[in-house]
Amino acid sequence: MSILFEPVKIKNVVLRNRFVRSATYDGMAGKTGHVSEKQIKLFEALADGGVGLIVTGIAYVHPSGQISPFQNGLINDESIPGLKRLTAAVHGKGAKMAVQLFHGGRESVRIAKAKGISVIAPSVIEDDPYFKGQYRAMTGDEIQEIIRSFGTAAQRAREAGFDAVQIHGAHSYLFSQFLSPFTNRREDQWGGPLENRLRFHREVYRDIRKRVGEDYPVLIKFGVQDGIPEGLNFKEGK
């Protein structure tokens, strides 16, 4: 039998097989960011199909990071009861579940502006050929606030019954904006050499790990290159 069908253990979580349903935004969340009945039915059906691990679509960890009006949020404890129903439905079909933690950075411009929230990113890039929205550079205090937001979101995820969390570190969202030398022009501890541009990732990981413990799986979806000459190259990404 193929190894794909054999169980595998990640930290304290045993998956029934090696099949993973990768994170895909479903656009079914309620307007408050809470779980909907449609989502419970969707994920229960996915679990019933036999997959070992299901990763949800993007769940924003801070109001400034939301990118869609129909996106789940983990910004406060009010989301926990609905998420518990969701994870219980998946567990009832024998699958495990991870939630993808997300902040859009400057890509959140449409929702943030509609809600009167500042659109933030590591740096402002003048005459950017790839992005035309209006946003501003994050302050040091805001960076620390977002780091803590990822940690508290992971803590809520564990309380809600998720078996793991996955950081969204790809697709030109906030983690990519910090890591790319094109979008990160900061001259402080968060910018410049690779070690500094990677600091945000490491600090988020440390904050999450501190809140969820050593036995809990912390995953990342990671983009290893930008595909533009001035951006993150494969050598640094690797």
Side-chain angles (χ1 to χ4, degrees), residues 4-22:
L4 288 172
F5 295 93
E6 294 179 6
V8 62
K9 187 174 183 180
I10 307 174
K11 289 285 187 180
N12 67 333
V13 177
V14 178
L15 307 182
R16 60 185 170 185
N17 55 49
R18 316 295 179 97
F19 289 94
V20 178
R21 186 269 193 181
S22 189

Side-chain angles (χ1 to χ4, degrees), residues 58-70:
I58 48 179
Y60 60 97
V61 303
H62 189 273
S64 62
Q66 185 178 0
I67 200 170
S68 164
F70 302 103

Side-chain angles (χ1 to χ4, degrees), residues 21-27 42-43 55-58 100 221:
R21 186 269 193 181
S22 189
T24 304
Y25 171 63
D26 54 65
L42 168 67
F43 287 106
V55 187
T56 72
I58 48 179
Q100 189 179 67
K221 181 176 185 175

Side-chain angles (χ1 to χ4, degrees), residues 40-81:
I40 291 174
K41 291 179 181 178
L42 168 67
F43 287 106
E44 189 174 32
L46 288 168
D48 199 31
V51 68
L53 176 67
I54 297 171
V55 187
T56 72
I58 48 179
Y60 60 97
V61 303
H62 189 273
S64 62
Q66 185 178 0
I67 200 170
S68 164
F70 302 103
Q71 179 184 358
N72 292 117
L74 272 164
I75 61 173
N76 55 49
D77 292 347
E78 293 175 6
S79 63
I80 294 174

Side-chain angles (χ1 to χ4, degrees), residues 191-208:
L194 178 61
E195 185 74 12
N196 285 2
R197 287 182 279 117
L198 193 58
R199 191 181 305 276
F200 182 74
H201 296 62
R202 288 176 168 156
E203 291 302 316
V204 167
Y205 172 74
R206 288 190 183 102
D207 199 280
I208 289 175

Side-chain angles (χ1 to χ4, degrees), residues 2-166:
S2 169
I3 193 175
L4 288 172
F5 295 93
E6 294 179 6
V8 62
K9 187 174 183 180
I10 307 174
K11 289 285 187 180
N12 67 333
V13 177
V14 178
L15 307 182
R16 60 185 170 185
N17 55 49
R18 316 295 179 97
F19 289 94
V20 178
R21 186 269 193 181
S22 189
T24 304
Y25 171 63
D26 54 65
M28 294 181 181
K31 288 187 176 181
T32 58
H34 293 176
V35 170
S36 69
E37 293 299 323
K38 285 184 177 180
Q39 287 182 309
I40 291 174
K41 291 179 181 178
L42 168 67
F43 287 106
E44 189 174 32
L46 288 168
D48 199 31
V51 68
L53 176 67
I54 297 171
V55 187
T56 72
I58 48 179
Y60 60 97
V61 303
H62 189 273
S64 62
Q66 185 178 0
I67 200 170
S68 164
F70 302 103
Q71 179 184 358
N72 292 117
L74 272 164
I75 61 173
N76 55 49
D77 292 347
E78 293 175 6
S79 63
I80 294 174
L83 292 169
K84 281 184 175 180
R85 292 181 59 223
L86 179 63
T87 56
V90 168
H91 291 157
K93 298 295 183 179
K96 303 298 184 183
M97 194 172 200
V99 61
Q100 189 179 67
L101 306 180
F102 172 86
H103 192 294
R106 68 182 192 176
E107 298 289 334
S108 301
V109 59
R110 184 169 64 91
I111 298 298
K113 282 196 169 184
K115 293 189 172 184
I117 299 171
S118 290
V119 185
I120 52 177
S123 304
V124 174
I125 311 304
E126 302 294 341
D127 300 320
D128 188 340
Y130 308 108
F131 188 83
K132 299 302 181 185
Q134 298 296 312
Y135 60 100
R136 63 171 176 80
M138 301 168 73
T139 66
D141 286 344
E142 286 172 329
I143 293 173
Q144 294 295 342
E145 180 181 346
I146 299 302
I147 289 170
R148 290 191 297 271
S149 295
F150 274 93
T152 54
Q155 190 172 9
R156 291 185 186 105
R158 182 162 197 176
E159 183 179 344
F162 285 99
D163 304 286
V165 293
Q166 183 189 76

